[in-house]
Amino acid sequence: MERRLEGIRVLVTRPRERSEELCFLLEDEGAQVLHVPLLELRPPEDPRPLVAAAEAIQRYQWVVFASASAVDALMDALREAGTTRFLSQVRIAVVGPRTGRTVEGYGLTVAAEPPEGTGVALYEAMRGALGPEDEVLLPAAEEGRRELEDALREHGVRVTRVTAYRSQPAPLSPEARALLEASPPDVALFASPRTAETFLEAAGRERLGTARLVAIGPTTATALTHLGLAVAAVAERPTPEALVEATIRAIRG
């Protein structure tokens, strides 16, 4: 079978716990993966809002997850509060197949998943099942974008957003810096605007060299453009498989 990325050096900047499947798929296509995680996931500085939401989970009709990390964080809080059993009475909406798989891994059912990872698409996926008095819990990254929350609020949905986790820049180790100097990437993958900003701050624009840039979605692609970086390809969905296909398009045109 043809390995479509044979010998191509691909820079992956996602945290290790989010990128194992992606790295495996890239290597399966023959790529040489340069894994330089730039963000570390941490618990919220003030856990009280998350704890309060977990203790009163039965008051919500919906929980919306935009990342697998948010799922894990809420499940941990529910276990601590002893209210995990009540989550089965709440409808769950997710953004992205990986988030959905994480939900299902806890034995839960996904009630709504939009084909696109945008706030408007999420509202459209939920709209038919949303009641006029429904309350929605949105556990999210501290620095996560507000698009999902804003889209729901604009349509009159009552949303409680709580910080489930935070990401902070990870220092670029001397080994990682040496790796980028010795083996400049042919392709660089960015899975969030913050990751792109952190890379430029930690490593500098020159470390990208002539790499072709791949974005996980339109929001990240727009952020890269605003940073003055040309985007070679955008993944059609926020999945490891789609990122691999976008990488191949970036190389082959």
Side-chain angles (χ1 to χ4, degrees):
M1 188 177 82
E2 180 190 11
R3 303 210 318 165
R4 296 173 292 173
L5 293 172
E6 191 69 55
I8 300 298
R9 294 184 298 275
V10 181
L11 174 65
V12 175
T13 57
R14 302 180 82 177
R16 191 168 301 278
E17 58 268 30
R18 293 184 181 179
S19 59
E20 290 180 358
E21 184 180 359
L22 172 61
C23 292
F24 173 80
L25 292 173
L26 288 168
E27 289 169 350
D28 201 43
E29 290 285 358
Q32 177 187 348
V33 176
L34 312 176
H35 189 222
V36 182
L38 296 171
L39 297 175
E40 297 175 343
L41 302 185
R42 293 284 184 265
E45 288 185 316
D46 181 3
R48 288 174 297 179
L50 179 62
V51 170
E55 291 174 344
I57 191 65
Q58 61 267 38
R59 67 173 279 191
Y60 300 101
Q61 285 71 49
W62 287 85
V63 177
V64 174
F65 294 112
S67 71
S69 298
V71 178
D72 293 333
L74 181 62
M75 293 306 297
D76 287 344
L78 290 169
R79 278 195 292 267
E80 289 291 326
T83 54
T84 305
R85 66 189 183 279
F86 294 121
L87 193 57
S88 62
Q89 304 169 20
V90 181
R91 291 183 174 184
I92 298 175
V94 302
V95 175
R98 182 172 183 268
T99 307
R101 290 196 297 269
T102 302
V103 167
E104 291 166 352
Y106 284 104
L108 301 167
T109 301
V110 174
E113 179 185 345
E116 299 176 9
T118 66
V120 173
L122 177 68
Y123 170 74
E124 290 298 327
M126 296 172 62
R127 182 171 61 173
L130 271 172
E133 301 299 320
D134 282 359
E135 289 191 61
V136 175
L137 175 64
L138 176 59
E142 181 178 67
E143 66 289 337
R145 64 183 190 269
R146 302 277 170 169
E147 180 192 9
L148 296 179
E149 178 184 2
D150 292 344
L152 291 169
R153 289 189 188 280
E154 284 172 8
H155 289 89
V157 180
R158 292 188 292 170
V159 181
T160 298
R161 179 186 175 118
V162 296
T163 297
Y165 64 96
R166 58 195 169 93
S167 59
Q168 61 184 34
L172 193 65
S173 68
E175 294 78 13
R177 200 175 295 275
L179 177 65
L180 290 171
E181 290 179 0
S183 302
D186 299 304
V187 179
L189 308 186
F190 290 105
S192 70
R194 182 131 193 260
T195 305
E197 294 163 1
T198 301
F199 181 88
L200 294 182
E201 292 171 3
R205 192 177 301 259
E206 65 277 4
R207 298 291 180 218
L208 289 173
T210 59
R212 300 177 187 186
L213 308 188
V214 173
I216 196 171
T219 300
T220 301
T222 299
L224 288 169
T225 301
H226 287 165
L227 290 169
L229 301 171
V231 178
V234 180
E236 294 180 356
R237 297 199 72 194
T239 66
E241 294 83 0
L243 273 170
V244 172
E245 292 301 320
T247 302
I248 292 167
R249 291 199 306 275
I251 289 294
R252 296 192 169 188

